[in-house]
Amino acid sequence: MDLVANNLSYKPSDQYHLNEVSFNFKEGNLYTILGRTLSGKTTLLKTIAGLLTPDSGEIEFDGKNFLKIPVWERNVAMVYQQFINYPHLNVFENIAFPLKQRKIDQSVINEKVMDALKSVGLLGYENRKIQELSGGQQQRVSLARSLVKNAKILLLDEPLVNLDYKLREQLREEFKNLFSKGLADETILIYSTTDPRETMELNGEVIVLDEGKVLQVGPAKEIFENPNSLKVAEISNDPPMNIIEAKISDNHISFEGIDVEAPQHLSKLTEDGLKIGLRSSDIELNENGHEFEVELAEISGSETLLHLKRGNTKIIVSIEEVLNFKINDKVKINFKIDRAYAFHADGKLASSPFGGLNG
Amino acid sequence: MNFKHKYFFLFPGLFVLIGILIFPIIFVVRLSLSGWNSYNPGLDYIGLENYIRLFTDDPRFWESFFRLSFLSVTTVILQYVIGFALAHMVWKDIKFKRFFRVLFLVPMMTTPVIMTVIWRTFFHESLGPVNDMLSVFGVAPKWLTDPVIAKFTVIIVEVWQWTPFMFLLLLAGLLSLPKEPFLAAAIDGASPVRKFIYVTFPLMAPISIGAIIIRLIEASKIMDTVYVLTSGGPGTSTETSSFYIFIKGLREFQMGYAASMSFTYLIIMIISLTIIAKVLTKLLLKE
């Protein structure tokens, strides 16, 4: 049973929330929608769920016109980024709610709810009030509520974004386990996120969305290795990929007075206005490197993000240890230039170290 | 805290409290133990005689009390149902939402006594427009002079006058509900009807209880409508407690006896409203 969308558009005001979005989701697969905030992820999920009606385009599920089916008759489950539960019901009643909407035997409901509670690790909490739970537990309740339905389509809208760092790691791990257990072979799982790392970890088919438009579709690895445009490269990397305006001639890349030998996959490019893309992790501190000035140093978790500047070029370097820098300190860095990407002036990928296009 | 002038600062508030609440109640209790009437005005002491008369020899008081219970419970239930329906209607995004919201409040902005006079004119048996229109069907109900129908006339006028208040409370409640559970309910497969039963109604329970209690208290004071519409008639068939107490106290000047009825009425109302609130809470909030 496939979920097929054709040219979905939604434009409530003068900006597109969805712009000619098409996809073909197959049962038993995990799809990740990657995009920055306001890129249309939630709109897309709401459209699939039936909470929004697109201005144009169509959705078909199992060969039937999905747009003609009211929300409550679509077999869809959804977990939101806010922890949405029923405040007037306790944990058990919350999870049983979708089952109670169908005519199901109470004993079957009990069994299913207990199963769901077990799979999200909340056994023993069934009589608690929702308000007595922590954020992470509330989100688990809404996850359990979406699992218990055995919905054919399971939508997860940035389910981890409002949780603190540690819980996010933990729940992400649990999600992965749940998903890999094969929820059911016929479920279509759609997961939206702004976090490229989450996308890579979930390792499903990725749809990169920006300003309501689908920019690239492909397996997570492919998106990471061969982003088809500058935009995708920015969205699929955190911190975003560094973009350096450089010249390539005579096998040399030059910018801001720096001159490095071009790796093989970039050596054939000679056109004007080329942009070199380099991940923040592909730049390292090196005594013999090129001198940059520190604009900002932020420590996140166990890594340090250095915002550096030289002339008009600004780059971000991530270092896998905690280091203290002062603003305006001078640091020396080296580029792993063989990992560099090149983009045409219009933003399209020109060459990638992983063999995209003419590499 | 040991502050020797504290009573000085408490005095203004205490004075008002004593003046308008505590003194009247105590005075009513004392009055109820006296035989004050138009022949013997004065606070003499006759013991529990008034209460004995009330509990053993005055079925009219108890009849008026049960009539009042019937009238107030019926009107409040009707007001709640109609008020909830109207509030639910303009809660959704419909056309002319603002217009309807104001329109539904109009009855509350009118003067009850004057509106009741107008209703009395409407329901006049031979000259009123209602029976004029009904004459097409060949019926002419005795709106104000039939003992049974007159009760429902009182109910109609009360419901018309005070449903807007219920509507206002319930609309405010609906507008303050979180939106998220409704999103979840739709996705969880609840049709609009089930969404109302399983989400809207339970979420509204605390507000509903408050609104119903407030209206019950208000409705038990019903007096002006009865006074203007039927003067308690025909006979005593629309006479309510407050109206009967008014007749005894301020028409027949049996002040002592009226005071004993007032005090009894107060105690019964406090007890029954407390019980009603408890029962409603148990029923609607399952606590």
Side-chain angles (χ1 to χ4, degrees):
Chain A
M1 278 185 274
D2 295 357
L3 180 68
V4 185
N6 274 320
N7 299 325
L8 290 176
S9 288
Y10 182 64
K11 191 184 182 187
S13 53
D14 53 345
Q15 257 183 334
Y16 278 105
H17 289 203
L18 292 178
N19 189 354
E20 305 272 299
V21 173
S22 303
F23 52 76
N24 187 347
F25 291 163
K26 293 191 164 54
E27 63 178 14
N29 284 341
L30 165 66
Y31 296 88
T32 317
I33 298 171
L34 177 64
R36 292 178 286 205
T37 42
L38 297 179
S39 62
K41 302 185 296 295
T42 304
T43 310
L44 181 57
L45 295 190
K46 280 188 173 172
T47 310
I48 295 172
L51 295 171
L52 279 179
T53 314
D55 297 333
S56 62
E58 49 207 46
I59 308 181
E60 261 187 20
F61 180 63
D62 197 15
K64 274 176 259 164
N65 184 352
F66 217 32
L67 293 175
K68 288 231 172 96
I69 305 173
V71 196
W72 59 91
E73 281 171 21
R74 301 185 186 192
N75 195 357
V76 173
M78 187 159 177
V79 177
Y80 298 81
Q81 49 177 298
Q82 315 93 325
F83 323 125
I84 296 185
N85 289 303
Y86 303 105
H88 58 288
L89 303 175
N90 67 21
V91 171
F92 183 94
E93 292 165 330
N94 254 282
I95 298 172
F97 190 93
L99 297 175
K100 287 246 170 81
Q101 304 312 313
R102 310 170 187 176
K103 290 199 173 75
I104 297 178
D105 222 44
Q106 187 62 40
S107 61
V108 180
I109 292 182
N110 286 348
E111 196 179 312
K112 285 195 168 186
V113 171
M114 284 310 176
D115 274 355
L117 274 169
K118 201 190 274 171
S119 62
V120 298
L122 280 180
L123 266 184
Y125 285 85
E126 49 274 15
N127 292 324
R128 290 279 192 102
K129 279 189 176 173
I130 285 297
Q131 295 90 323
E132 291 169 355
L133 300 180
S134 70
Q137 288 169 330
Q138 289 186 27
Q139 191 64 317
R140 282 178 219 214
V141 171
S142 52
L143 180 66
R145 213 179 63 232
S146 67
L147 292 176
V148 82
K149 265 179 91 173
N150 271 335
K152 295 273 182 272
I153 300 170
L154 177 54
L155 307 166
L156 298 135
D157 184 16
E158 298 185 54
L160 303 178
V161 79
N162 282 338
L163 296 170
D164 62 72
Y165 178 76
K166 244 190 135 165
L167 262 172
R168 203 181 312 164
E169 298 279 291
Q170 190 189 336
L171 261 185
R172 190 188 296 160
E173 204 56 39
E174 287 174 21
F175 273 13
K176 259 166 56 189
N177 287 337
L178 270 173
F179 299 162
S180 63
K181 253 186 250 164
L183 270 174
D185 290 335
E186 62 258 21
T187 305
I188 299 174
L189 209 80
I190 307 171
Y191 188 107
S192 89
T193 178
T194 53
D195 186 351
R197 254 171 264 189
E198 223 163 89
T199 315
M200 300 309 149
E201 267 182 57
L202 291 170
N203 198 18
E205 187 90 354
V206 179
I207 293 96
V208 182
L209 205 61
D210 193 63
E211 292 175 349
K213 248 187 143 73
V214 176
L215 295 184
Q216 190 173 356
V217 181
K221 191 165 178 284
E222 174 67 17
I223 302 278
F224 183 75
E225 291 182 345
N226 293 313
N228 67 5
S229 66
L230 259 178
K231 268 243 173 79
V232 176
E234 274 175 38
I235 296 167
S236 63
N237 286 284
D238 181 40
M241 192 182 269
N242 293 304
I243 306 300
I244 303 163
E245 304 216 7
K247 269 208 175 92
I248 302 180
S249 60
D250 296 337
N251 261 350
H252 279 269
I253 303 174
S254 53
F255 61 97
E256 302 294 348
I258 296 169
D259 197 78
V260 288
E261 202 174 321
Q264 224 213 317
H265 69 278
L266 298 181
S267 58
K268 289 176 205 138
L269 299 164
T270 50
E271 64 189 85
D272 276 346
L274 270 181
K275 294 185 172 111
I276 302 295
L278 201 55
R279 289 206 169 82
S280 60
S281 54
D282 290 336
I283 304 173
E284 54 188 5
L285 293 175
N286 190 311
E287 288 292 308
N288 306 318
H290 311 281
E291 196 178 79
F292 277 72
E293 195 182 298
V294 177
E295 275 204 312
L296 178 72
E298 46 179 334
I299 295 168
S300 88
S302 58
E303 57 170 29
T304 311
L305 289 181
L306 277 180
H307 296 241
L308 303 176
K309 189 178 148 186
R310 174 166 171 145
N312 289 324
T313 304
K314 293 183 176 184
I315 57 171
I316 301 175
V317 179
S318 60
I319 302 158
E320 285 290 326
E321 56 187 309
V322 178
L323 296 170
N324 281 315
F325 288 95
K326 285 204 189 74
I327 291 173
N328 297 334
D329 275 358
K330 301 276 190 264
V331 293
K332 289 191 168 171
I333 54 171
N334 231 349
F335 302 99
K336 295 179 184 166
I337 203 70
D338 55 329
R339 300 273 197 94
Y341 291 77
F343 297 93
H344 295 297
D346 62 358
K348 291 241 165 65
L349 181 69
S351 177
S352 110
F354 296 94
L357 300 175
N358 52 339
Chain B
M1 222 178 42
N2 206 354
F3 180 51
K4 57 180 174 180
H5 298 303
K6 61 185 170 191
Y7 294 106
F8 179 74
F9 288 102
L10 272 176
F11 186 70
L14 208 61
F15 181 74
V16 172
L17 194 67
I18 289 172
I20 66 168
L21 213 64
I22 296 175
F23 171 73
I25 289 177
I26 293 172
F27 187 75
V28 164
V29 175
R30 175 64 189 86
L31 190 58
S32 71
L33 300 175
S34 79
W36 189 329
N37 58 30
S38 44
Y39 309 113
N40 304 303
L43 280 176
D44 56 346
Y45 180 79
I46 57 166
L48 291 174
E49 206 173 290
N50 282 331
Y51 288 96
I52 292 164
R53 175 179 163 202
L54 177 61
F55 281 91
T56 56
D57 196 27
D58 193 0
R60 191 171 161 192
F61 174 79
W62 300 104
E63 276 164 21
S64 71
F65 182 78
F66 289 118
R67 206 173 292 125
L68 171 75
S69 312
F70 167 73
L71 287 177
S72 52
V73 169
T74 318
T75 51
V76 170
I77 289 173
L78 283 172
Q79 285 167 4
Y80 180 71
V81 173
I82 299 170
F84 208 134
L86 293 178
H88 198 268
M89 195 176 112
V90 296
W91 174 47
K92 300 272 173 64
D93 274 319
I94 57 158
K95 275 188 182 168
F96 308 117
K97 188 168 67 178
R98 279 171 184 279
F99 170 73
F100 282 119
R101 281 184 188 176
V102 175
L103 181 74
F104 294 154
L105 288 181
V106 167
M108 206 173 74
M109 299 179 209
T110 59
T111 314
V113 172
I114 293 172
M115 279 322 294
T116 314
V117 172
I118 293 170
W119 277 108
R120 193 179 61 191
T121 319
F122 271 8
F123 284 127
H124 194 283
E125 270 136 46
S126 48
L127 305 171
V130 174
N131 274 6
D132 188 40
M133 278 185 272
L134 285 179
S135 66
V136 177
F137 306 102
V139 285
K142 293 179 174 168
W143 293 107
L144 302 170
T145 51
D146 183 278
V148 178
I149 297 177
K151 287 189 189 67
F152 290 95
T153 311
V154 172
I155 290 174
I156 290 171
V157 176
E158 275 287 298
V159 167
W160 181 85
Q161 185 82 50
W162 293 112
T163 297
F165 186 71
M166 192 66 110
F167 162 80
L168 196 65
L169 289 176
L170 294 173
L171 180 63
L174 282 171
L175 290 174
S176 70
L177 292 185
K179 292 203 175 55
E180 292 81 10
F182 296 96
L183 282 178
I187 298 229
D188 283 344
S191 62
V193 176
R194 300 184 72 98
K195 202 153 82 179
F196 178 81
I197 298 170
Y198 291 104
V199 183
T200 316
F201 190 69
L203 283 177
M204 282 293 285
I207 297 149
S208 298
I209 294 170
I212 287 172
I213 295 294
I214 291 176
R215 277 310 305 151
L216 268 180
I217 293 172
E218 290 277 315
S220 341
K221 297 191 302 200
I222 174 173
M223 159 83 203
D224 42 2
T225 314
V226 171
Y227 186 79
V228 176
L229 212 55
T230 62
S231 291
T236 58
S237 61
T238 55
E239 193 173 85
T240 60
S241 298
S242 42
F243 194 65
Y244 180 53
I245 295 171
F246 162 77
I247 289 171
K248 281 286 170 222
L250 298 173
R251 275 204 188 143
E252 301 176 7
F253 288 104
Q254 302 187 25
M255 296 300 264
Y257 186 53
S260 68
M261 288 197 290
S262 296
F263 190 65
T264 310
Y265 172 76
L266 178 71
I267 301 293
I268 295 174
M269 285 316 283
I270 289 174
I271 293 172
S272 52
L273 283 171
T274 311
I275 292 172
I276 290 171
K278 283 250 160 76
V279 169
L280 281 177
T281 312
K282 200 154 208 165
L283 228 67
L284 294 178
L285 291 179
K286 300 187 190 89
E287 269 171 15

